[in-house]
Every structure is written in C-alpha cells, then in structure tokens.
Amino acid sequence: MTEVIRESMEYDVVIVGAGPSGLSAAIRLKQLDPDLNIVVLEKGSEVGAHILSGAVLDTCGLDALIPDWKEKGAPITVEVKHDNFYVLGPAGQVRIPNWPMPPLMSNHGKYIVSMANVCRWMAGEAEALGVEIFPGMACSQLVYGPGGEVRGVVAGEMGLAPDGTPGPNYEPGMELLGKYVFLSEGVRGSLAKEVIAKYDLSRGHCPQKFGIGMKEIWEIDPAKHREGTVTHTMGWPLGRNAGGGSFIYHLENNQVFVGFVVHLNYANPHLYPYMEFQRFKHHPMVAELLKGGKRVAYGARAISEGGWQSIPKLVAPGVALLGCSAGLVNVPRIKGNHNAMLSGIAAAEAAQAAIRAGRAGDELEAYESDLRSGPIARDLRRVRNVKPMWSRWGMIPSLVLGGLDMWTNQIGLSFFGTLKHGKTDAAATGEAKDYPKIDYPRPDGVLSFDRLTNVAFSFTNHEESQPCHLRLKDPSVPIAVNLPKYDEPAQRYCPAGVYEVLADEAGNPRFQINFQNCVHCKTCDIKDPSQNINWTTPQGGDGPNYPNM
C-alpha cells in the first residue's frame, strides 16, 4: 500500500469521544477561553448514538460545569423517589433496608436519565460556545510528533476494502492536530489502549477490571409504573458462578431501564452472560413488572470496575485519558458519569493553563494531580475495597465487610488498607474441563429473547464491504487453542452473537466473525483468554444507533 497523503487541521485541543467527559472538557475549555479552537470527534452517527447508560446521575459534575442546567432545559427531570435493594433467590427476594447503608449509597436527590439524551443536550451547549463537533468521524490512528508525543489523530478514513486496501471510493481522512489530545473514548477505547501500552501507564497500578452491562428499555403497563423508583438486585441467577447484579429504573412515559451486569472475572468458561440476563427477567418479581409490556431497545457495553487501584497514569506527552478511558466508575454506587464530567473539567483547566503559558505536547501533570487529590479521589478512595472483597470472598462477605469499610472510610479510616486486584479478567478464565456446563432455558419471545433478535433492537449497522474491525492476532488460536481448552468462550461472552464455531464441509470446526452484529461493547477484547482479539474502531458512523439509551 502506497503512503497515504492526508490534509491536516490544527486545533488547540482535539477531543476523541462526545461522551460526558469529552463534552465537559470542551465546554470548560471554551468557558475559560472563548478564543481556543476545540474539536470533538464522535464515531457514532450522531452524538449519543453509542452511549449506553441507563443511569442514576449524581449531578455534582454538571453542577460544577453548568450550574443553571435546570433553567437551560437539560433532559434531567426524573428525581429518584424510592430506592430499593434486594437479594434474589430463585423464587423470592429479601429486601435490604436502606438504613445500614453508608450515606454515599443513597440515590435520593439523584436523577434517572438517558445519558444519550444528556450528551445530546451537552453537545448543543458546547456548539453554542463555538466548539466544533464532528459525528461519524471514527478516529483510527494516533499521530505522533518528532519527540514521541501524541500530536493528533487520523479521523474519517473511509472506503477501505475488506482486505484493508483502499477501495474505489476511498477517502483518506484527515489529520486533526492539537497542542493536546484528550481521549474520552469510553471503556477499553482502542486509542487509549495503545497509549496505555506505549507509555506503560499501568505500571505500578492494578490491572483494570471489567463487567459486561446489558440493558433493555421496556414500555410497561401504566398501572405498574412508578416514576422515580430505583431497584438494584444481587444474587440469583448468578449465584456463585459470577459476581454481578441488576438495575431497574422507572423513568417517565411508562418506560423502565432493565439492566444486568456480570463481572468479567468469572472462571467458568461455559457461563453465558447474555442468557443470565434473559433468565433474570423470569424471576417472579421482574416478570410481574414486565408482564403486558414490550421491549423497545437493547444494548450492551463493558464497564470499568477496577476503581481507585486500577486507574493508570492519566497523562503522557501530549495526551490525557478522561472518564471511562481512565476507569473512573464507582462500582458500589454504579455511577461514573459524575466523575467523567469532573475529569473533563480538570483536564480542561490543566490544558488551558498550559496553553496560556505557551506549552504544548508535554504532560499535563496538573490534571493528574487534581484527579488524584480532588473530588474524584474522594469518591473512589472510599469504595476502593468493595470490588476486591467481592472477587476474593463472594457476595455476602463483601456486603458486610464492604459496608463496614465504606462506613469507616467516611472518616478516612480503613481496617483493610487498600486491597489489590488479582489477575486480569482474561487470565481468570478457567479451563472447560474443570467446570460444569450450564443448561440455559430457551428464550420464550415474550420476556426473554435470543441474541440476534435483540441485536435488531440496538439498531446496529456496519457496512459489510469494510474490513472486519475485530482482528485476530493469530487466526489459528480460536480453534487450535480456545476451543479445546476453553470451549471457545467467545461463543457465549459476546452479547451480540458476533462469534460462532461452525463446521466446514468436511465437518471440521471453523471460527466465524459476524462483525456486522457488533454493538461495540469491547467484551471480546477484554475476556478472550488468549488475548487474541483486538477491537479496533470501524469506519465512521457504523455501530449501534441507540435512540435514547
């Protein structure tokens, strides 16, 4: 392939990803200096198209960024009125009262929101300040400067043939260059992954831990709808097979977000996270709520769960990691959007001060310092032991000891210090011969659905003539290694049916990748036990198109 010649454009700050962290950074930069040239690049077909978060939002980040967000008409209107927590068994449930829980776990005063719609609104606020936002612009490469610093990104490359060579309608894209580049791609972003590896940013920190979150939006019987009600559950159907739990959030218009999270450090390779979600909906408490309703949307996304111990170094020459690219989710609170916004604000303030001082392409140490000592640190340090406790000792001990640890951390004290995470989620996968297979009931098409039917409700689309964005380092590994050793778990951990083991004409197994189904959750990149799958960004605009997820 001959060398590609690209045009370039210069900005003060280039931001990759129009999520809450990237948009917060863009808005704050313009608030600080209206003359700064800021661009936000979004791989989705529109802002919000790839945002999957049926969230309870702590507005502290937005309060700091846009204090008058209510007066400006932000789509944040459903305040939490009821906050429930249950431990489920196969046929019943036990409610855990709210009073023993630390104050930080309370959802009262928070809001049930569609983060896709919140981000769409934030994009409008950013554009009103003069920020340039380009949707449908996937960033496929980093551009490095002569000193090894991150100089910018390549965005908008289109028209590649399936073999990766330029097709007849090839467009080379552009180099968008900046004094600083902010990576706010979300969990396990391909550019952030490259930066973390190149600059060894995880050295001295625990490995990042992840979960797979799946969500459906349902329209339910108005008689059962309780606007402002938040319900979380643990226990059945996962039991001892995996950590995780569910959320059910009643928003407006008789809609509920029904979600299920499975921690990806599970050992049994026969576990099927998507089917655990479908089975969950047949619990009597959930089935009664959904009976007579209809599912209107589906999606899935990886969630960063490592917390304080797993946050890598956040800066390298010319680049900073924001939001879920840095892993800022508070796992027991099941919240990360507030920290994403706060990280965007902190990064913007550090970059604006650096640019004002005439700097460019260096490390924004002020951002790193702010995040390690400011409100994000106070939020995450208090809950740092909950996830490792669950991984070591299971659900019930972690509820008791984790609750105690969060209470004592209210005054800055912990009997446990800082517990470490163990191996990566990929390395936690056991061999198939050591674990029983799990018999999952067939979906009934009323409460539970097969994967391909549900993927249609994510409104996912990929141009079939483009290269497969799910790249195997060694094409032989799925059949030669993963199938005999792990019963090729990609068949099950993918929530979109992307990976299949089929038989060829001679009856021999072959590995098939249906990349058109991909909902960009990144689970394959995380959980593959051989770490043989590399998720890369597809061409611009492709992927899910969530309506108000």
Side-chain angles (χ1 to χ4, degrees):
M1 182 175 174
T2 59
E3 183 180 357
V4 175
I5 305 299
R6 296 185 172 93
E7 296 182 4
S8 64
M9 294 180 66
E10 290 274 355
Y11 290 88
D12 290 303
V13 180
V14 176
I15 301 173
V16 180
S21 61
L23 291 170
S24 295
I27 290 169
R28 186 62 181 141
L29 282 162
K30 279 292 193 178
Q31 289 173 339
L32 292 167
D33 185 347
D35 294 329
L36 290 174
N37 293 317
I38 310 300
V39 65
V40 179
L41 305 166
E42 167 56 40
K43 69 182 175 68
S45 59
E46 64 168 335
V47 173
H50 290 179
I51 299 289
L52 178 76
S53 175
V56 173
L57 178 66
D58 179 338
T59 62
C60 63
L62 195 58
D63 294 338
L65 182 69
I66 308 175
D68 57 346
W69 54 265
K70 283 187 179 180
E71 291 76 10
K72 289 189 170 185
I76 304 172
T77 58
V78 180
E79 189 169 354
V80 175
K81 300 172 184 174
H82 304 285
D83 196 2
N84 305 311
F85 185 83
Y86 293 95
V87 176
L88 301 186
Q93 63 277 342
V94 175
R95 186 173 185 272
I96 305 298
N98 289 22
W99 62 263
M101 296 187 184
L104 64 90
M105 295 294 289
S106 174
N107 285 306
H108 289 283
K110 312 305 186 291
Y111 290 83
I112 301 171
V113 299
S114 159
M115 280 309 298
N117 288 340
V118 171
C119 287
R120 292 180 180 111
W121 176 81
M122 291 179 68
E125 293 295 304
E127 288 177 323
L129 293 171
V131 175
E132 295 182 41
I133 300 178
F134 298 143
M137 291 284 279
C139 298
S140 53
Q141 299 176 44
L142 291 165
V143 177
Y144 294 98
E149 77 279 11
V150 175
R151 185 73 177 83
V153 297
V154 173
E157 187 176 31
M158 304 281 283
L160 291 171
D163 64 358
T165 60
N169 299 314
Y170 177 67
E171 298 176 18
M174 297 187 67
E175 290 186 350
L176 293 106
L177 309 176
K179 296 179 175 70
Y180 296 99
V181 176
F182 290 171
L183 298 182
S184 52
E185 304 170 284
V187 176
R188 196 74 165 196
S190 53
L191 301 185
K193 182 180 172 184
E194 179 179 332
V195 163
I196 291 170
K198 178 179 176 64
Y199 298 103
D200 198 17
L201 300 185
S202 289
R203 181 164 52 89
H205 304 277
C206 288
Q208 187 58 264
K209 308 295 286 183
F210 299 93
I212 171 64
M214 298 153 285
K215 189 183 83 177
E216 295 171 357
I217 298 178
W218 281 71
E219 291 179 0
I220 65 170
D221 182 346
K224 301 175 183 178
H225 186 252
R226 301 289 182 269
E227 184 175 302
T229 295
V230 165
T231 298
H232 292 104
T233 78
M234 299 167 64
W236 189 90
L238 291 173
R240 295 173 180 264
N241 287 324
S246 81
F247 59 85
I248 302 173
Y249 302 156
H250 292 242
L251 57 162
E252 64 265 69
N253 301 322
N254 300 316
Q255 288 193 332
V256 294
F257 294 143
V258 182
F260 199 79
V261 177
V262 178
H263 300 171
L264 287 176
N265 62 348
Y266 62 83
N268 186 344
H270 303 296
L271 188 81
Y272 195 161
Y274 175 84
M275 288 307 300
E276 297 286 353
F277 175 32
Q278 299 306 303
R279 183 161 63 167
F280 158 76
K281 290 182 292 177
H282 286 273
H283 187 276
M285 183 182 78
V286 185
E288 177 57 32
L289 175 69
L290 301 181
K291 183 179 178 181
K294 64 176 181 179
R295 160 215 48 179
V296 296
Y298 165 75
R301 191 77 171 176
I303 302 166
S304 62
E305 295 186 339
W308 181 251
Q309 298 92 316
S310 298
I311 299 173
K313 184 180 178 184
L314 298 162
V315 295
V319 66
L321 306 178
L322 277 58
C324 283
S325 291
L328 305 182
V329 171
N330 184 313
V331 173
R333 294 184 73 197
I334 320 180
K335 293 178 179 64
N337 291 302
H338 63 300
N339 284 337
M341 293 179 184
L342 291 170
S343 74
I345 294 169
E349 292 174 348
Q352 188 269 339
I355 293 169
R356 186 180 60 206
R359 291 161 43 204
D362 60 346
E363 295 189 2
L364 292 172
E365 294 179 355
Y367 168 53
E368 179 93 25
S369 176
D370 184 289
L371 193 142
R372 302 275 177 194
S373 62
I376 294 174
R378 290 192 292 274
D379 185 60
L380 295 181
R381 278 187 58 83
R382 291 183 296 177
V383 302
R384 65 191 182 277
N385 289 325
V386 174
K387 169 65 174 169
M389 283 176 175
W390 194 334
S391 299
R392 294 182 186 195
W393 302 318
M395 181 181 71
I396 299 301
S398 71
L399 277 175
V400 177
L401 298 177
L404 172 64
D405 196 55
M406 286 189 285
W407 269 111
T408 59
N409 266 287
Q410 294 289 115
I411 57 172
L413 173 68
S414 174
F415 296 115
F416 301 93
T418 299
L419 299 177
K420 303 296 185 183
H421 296 298
K423 56 187 76 172
T424 67
D425 294 330
T429 310
E431 295 189 24
K433 64 181 177 58
D434 297 327
Y435 294 90
K437 290 191 174 184
I438 303 172
D439 183 24
Y440 291 100
R442 292 175 60 88
D444 66 357
V446 178
L447 293 177
S448 51
F449 313 96
D450 66 81
R451 280 186 299 188
L452 296 186
T453 298
N454 241 356
V455 167
F457 283 79
S458 69
F459 309 100
T460 292
N461 179 67
H462 293 86
E463 174 56 54
E464 295 189 19
S465 62
Q466 69 179 285
C468 175
H469 64 281
L470 304 161
R471 299 175 185 172
L472 302 180
K473 299 173 186 176
D474 182 345
S476 71
V477 164
I479 300 303
V481 178
N482 284 359
L483 185 60
K485 193 171 183 179
Y486 305 105
D487 194 25
E488 184 46 271
Q491 303 174 90
R492 292 173 293 280
Y493 59 59
C494 174
V498 169
Y499 303 101
E500 294 183 280
V501 175
L502 304 174
D504 62 18
E505 294 179 357
N508 298 313
R510 65 178 180 86
F511 193 62
Q512 178 162 304
I513 303 177
N514 306 305
F515 75 88
Q516 299 89 345
N517 295 352
C518 180
V519 295
H520 298 194
C521 74
K522 321 286 180 64
T523 304
C524 54
D525 194 298
I526 296 163
K527 186 60 177 173
D528 177 56
S530 299
Q531 286 294 274
N532 188 52
I533 301 173
N534 189 33
W535 190 97
T536 63
T537 184
Q539 294 182 162
D542 285 1
N545 284 278
Y546 298 133
N548 65 340
M549 298 287 265

